[in-house]
Amino acid sequence: MSRPPETSILFVCLGNICRSPMAAGILRSLAATSVRPIRIESAGVGPWHVGKPPDGRAIAAAQRHGIDLTGERAQMIAEVDYRSYDMILAMDRSVLANVLQRAPADATARIGLFRQVAEDVDADVDDPYTGPEDDFETCFVEIEAAAKTLYARLLEPTPEGSDG
Ligand code: 4NP
């Protein structure tokens, strides 16, 4: 049997230090033993934290759930990402608008709202950055639920001939 094609996903939030690294870490952990190879990265639309590790509160929330985010480093979404990823998933509507606004004419990635694509819910993953520490736990749990549904969808067989 031939090897299934790789899927690639870029999660995008505002600063790339809270929501999108959590989403990437969660989906990577779900996909760790997957028969379907999935390339998973994250990026932000803002430049402020480029090169920095995730917010300590995001690292701590993930750690409580057995996920290590300490190796993540913030980066900004780049033009090439629009051609090199299959999917670019924004964590909220304002990030989605920003991602769409930057899209080059030859973008091939499917661009969408994370929870919409993952679980058919037209809702944002709210930014926990300025909130209390508890918001990071809520945020993690919300992202984890959506990531599980997304992962299940990624494993669904695609119609023959589709690029999936
Ligand atoms: P994120 O949260 O978009 O989930 O990474 C934020 C992190 C930093 C900032 C805003 C949101 N900031 O303005 O620095």
Side-chain angles (χ1 to χ4, degrees):
M1 235 169 81
S2 67
R3 199 161 171 264
E6 182 184 79
T7 305
S8 54
I9 300 176
L10 181 68
F11 292 105
V12 186
C13 61
L14 184 55
N16 193 209
I17 55 168
C18 302
R19 293 165 292 174
S20 62
M22 287 201 277
I26 292 167
L27 189 62
R28 250 187 239 133
S29 129
L30 291 168
T33 57
S34 177
V35 289
R36 182 162 195 189
I38 309 178
R39 178 161 70 103
I40 302 158
E41 299 295 340
S42 70
V45 293
W48 317 287
H49 305 283
V50 168
K52 302 271 172 57
D55 186 288
R57 297 163 297 175
I59 290 176
Q63 206 76 61
R64 287 193 293 274
H65 294 266
I67 290 176
D68 179 17
L69 298 184
T70 56
E72 305 290 316
R73 293 294 178 271
Q75 58 178 351
M76 272 192 78
I77 189 169
E79 197 189 305
V80 66
D81 296 335
Y82 289 85
R83 295 180 293 273
S84 66
Y85 286 92
D86 296 315
M87 273 191 242
I88 298 177
L89 300 179
M91 306 308 286
D92 68 36
R93 292 178 189 86
S94 96
V95 169
L96 177 62
N98 191 314
V99 168
L100 288 169
Q101 201 197 340
R102 291 162 186 269
D106 61 351
T108 50
R110 174 185 179 191
I111 299 169
L113 188 66
F114 170 50
R115 293 196 62 194
Q116 181 72 61
V117 172
E119 50 185 5
D120 298 324
V121 176
D122 184 22
D124 294 339
V125 176
D126 291 327
D127 181 358
Y129 185 61
T130 53
E133 178 123 22
D134 281 0
D135 285 2
F136 281 79
E137 181 65 24
T138 308
C139 186
F140 183 96
V141 170
E142 193 171 273
I143 292 171
E144 185 181 44
K148 283 183 175 167
T149 318
L150 177 66
Y151 181 57
R153 286 185 169 180
L154 292 172
L155 294 186
E156 283 169 10
T158 53
E160 196 137 354
S162 143
D163 64 7

